[in-house]
Amino acid sequence: MLDRVLAILKKEFLQIFRDPRMRMVIFVSPLIQVLVFGYAATMDITHVPIAVYDIDNTKESRALIHDFSYSQYFDIKHYVREESQVNALIDKSRVLAVLKFNAGFSRDLVGNNPAEVQLVVDGTDSNAASIILGYANSIITNYNLRVLYERSQVYLGGEHNLPYVDLRDRRWFNENLESRNYYLPGVIVLIVTIMSLLLSAMAIVREKEIGTMEQLIVSPIRPVELIVGKILPFGVIALVQVTLITLVGVLWFHVPLRGSIPLLFICTILYLLTTLGAGLFLSTMCATQQEAMMSVFLFNFPATLLSGFAYPIANMPQIIQYLTYLNPQRYYLTIVRYIFLKGVGIEVLWDEMLALLVIGVIVITMSSLRFQKRLG
């Protein structure tokens, strides 16, 4: 049995590596993707372009404008003189927000009355708009505290301290709150998923297209040996891809890898049971490589959306959250992020690993039975 499996493995590796385009797809394409996604997959918003419409034009309004311009969050790109310019800048997306001071801002502030300042925000991207409002509120809060402190010096003669709460935050696991550290491990999951699904599905279908499947069926090779010989090379290739992508993430993007590397590979093997099994299942349903490719993308797209890669699962409707329990990508994504950022071990990740093992055994068994039935 071992000789026949090794013969299939040798045939598959020769077939893969003699094709220069396939070598590019397997080894170069993931590196390009992780480099592109590594720079693109970030939710950090800094240097937001804004405009200022200062009708008041006083020392107090200019002090607040100074706070905005000297923060790391906002870049003042335009100073407008008319209301119509505000709409034009927002409509054409030249700026994402406009800071507007009405006449009387300074008078109200000096007279110890609430002084209003308006921030018009482009709400097309609700997430970005929320972040911009948070930045603006932080700057306004600091400005208010400074004004309050100055008034206390005047009215109280500097002999009294004002009570306030001083928040001392401590950030664990991602000290600088860099979104790249959170998203780049997820990119590893996406690349391993799509490559293992695509390669395993197309390998079987390619045998059908070139007419060699009949030769394999009439050979002494048993179906289980054929299945092992067909999907095992792509499991090995997926592990090599994980190694390459991890090296790029750690050495190039400086993403922290605090957990156990052997545990990362063990969990990857558990996850590959599901993706290679799913690829084998799709190959039994497709007659051409184009069909297999389309089927992989139709299968992978909802799985990625429901994995928690881009949108938190906790924010999804309850019935959708139940549906995500059937998605193995959800568990593998959690494992990879926890190993990279938190450095946790089996004592924390055992339930995700168990879920991957159960789903993987079910998928690979069902796919093998269907594949054997199709051969028969």
Side-chain angles (χ1 to χ4, degrees):
M1 173 180 176
L2 184 60
D3 293 341
R4 292 190 290 270
V5 172
L6 290 176
I8 294 290
L9 285 175
K10 183 178 178 181
K11 167 188 167 298
E12 287 300 316
F13 278 119
L14 287 174
Q15 197 167 15
I16 292 168
F17 291 117
R18 75 182 178 188
D19 185 353
R21 291 175 299 179
M22 186 61 78
R23 292 201 298 269
M24 289 284 291
V25 169
I26 291 174
F27 297 113
V28 179
S29 170
L31 293 178
I32 294 174
Q33 290 180 60
V34 77
L35 286 172
V36 172
F37 288 138
Y39 286 108
T42 173
M43 299 294 286
D44 298 333
I45 299 176
T46 56
H47 302 289
V48 178
I50 65 169
V52 172
Y53 184 23
D54 186 7
I55 301 175
D56 195 60
N57 195 21
T58 57
K59 182 181 70 175
E60 286 74 16
S61 65
R62 289 194 291 271
L64 185 53
I65 294 170
H66 175 275
D67 288 355
F68 272 79
S69 64
Y70 275 81
S71 72
Q72 61 175 322
Y73 308 121
F74 297 100
D75 286 343
I76 298 177
K77 297 295 186 182
H78 300 275
Y79 287 91
V80 300
R81 302 296 179 191
E82 298 176 359
E83 187 73 34
S84 58
Q85 291 179 282
V86 174
N87 296 334
L89 289 171
I90 292 286
D91 290 345
K92 294 178 181 177
S93 298
R94 300 283 179 82
V95 296
L96 294 181
V98 176
L99 186 64
K100 180 180 178 182
F101 297 86
N102 289 322
F105 172 80
S106 175
R107 182 192 61 224
D108 292 336
L109 201 62
V110 174
N112 296 329
N113 294 314
E116 294 183 356
V117 57
Q118 186 180 33
L119 185 69
V120 182
V121 180
D122 183 351
T124 307
D125 184 346
S126 59
N127 184 57
S130 300
I131 294 173
I132 292 170
L133 287 173
Y135 292 158
N137 279 323
S138 174
I139 293 173
I140 295 290
T141 300
N142 290 333
Y143 181 83
N144 285 334
L145 287 174
R146 192 169 69 242
V147 170
L148 197 59
Y149 175 77
E150 291 172 354
R151 295 298 164 81
S152 72
Q153 298 299 306
V154 173
Y155 292 113
L156 301 178
E159 298 178 355
H160 298 78
N161 292 325
L162 293 175
Y164 67 97
V165 176
D166 185 13
L167 176 65
R168 303 294 179 95
D169 59 290
R170 184 179 178 188
R171 302 151 185 174
W172 285 12
F173 309 126
N174 188 5
E175 293 78 6
N176 295 323
L177 301 182
E178 294 182 23
S179 60
R180 178 175 292 124
N181 291 348
Y182 179 72
Y183 283 102
L184 202 57
V187 172
I188 295 175
V189 176
L190 298 187
I191 293 175
V192 169
T193 303
I194 192 70
M195 295 301 289
S196 57
L197 268 174
L198 196 60
L199 292 175
S200 59
M202 293 182 67
I204 305 290
V205 177
R206 186 172 58 244
E207 298 283 1
K208 296 179 186 176
E209 281 191 327
I210 61 180
T212 53
M213 181 59 75
E214 289 78 6
Q215 297 175 10
L216 291 172
I217 292 172
V218 297
S219 68
I221 299 173
R222 290 185 292 180
V224 66
E225 297 167 353
L226 181 58
I227 292 170
V228 173
K230 276 290 182 186
I231 65 175
L232 195 56
F234 303 112
V236 174
I237 290 172
L239 293 175
V240 174
Q241 289 174 335
V242 169
T243 305
L244 293 176
I245 298 168
T246 301
L247 287 174
V248 172
V250 173
L251 299 179
W252 184 265
F253 291 106
H254 305 292
V255 176
L257 176 55
R258 300 189 173 97
S260 166
I261 295 176
L263 181 62
L264 176 65
F265 282 97
I266 291 172
C267 295
T268 302
I269 292 171
L270 294 178
Y271 180 61
L272 287 174
L273 290 176
T274 66
T275 56
L276 294 176
L280 182 65
F281 186 84
L282 292 175
S283 71
T284 63
M285 303 173 61
C286 303
T288 65
Q289 294 187 62
Q290 286 81 6
E291 287 182 20
M293 190 177 298
M294 290 300 299
S295 301
V296 166
F297 281 106
L298 288 175
F299 176 84
N300 182 60
F301 185 64
T304 301
L305 285 179
L306 298 178
S307 68
F309 173 77
Y311 313 107
I313 293 175
N315 291 350
M316 297 177 185
Q318 194 66 42
I319 188 168
I320 301 296
Q321 291 187 36
Y322 291 140
L323 190 62
T324 63
Y325 287 114
L326 300 175
N327 183 9
Q329 202 173 119
R330 165 194 173 135
Y331 305 106
Y332 186 54
L333 185 66
T334 302
I335 290 171
V336 173
R337 280 175 171 165
Y338 279 23
I339 289 177
F340 265 81
L341 296 180
K342 294 188 175 182
V344 296
I346 296 178
E347 67 279 4
V348 175
L349 300 173
W350 68 269
D351 46 351
E352 280 84 6
M353 294 175 66
L354 182 62
L356 279 183
L357 179 63
V358 171
I359 296 175
V361 169
I362 293 174
V363 171
I364 202 80
T365 303
M366 291 177 59
S367 302
S368 300
L369 291 175
R370 179 177 171 83
F371 185 71
Q372 292 183 38
K373 185 178 178 182
R374 298 284 293 181
L375 289 179

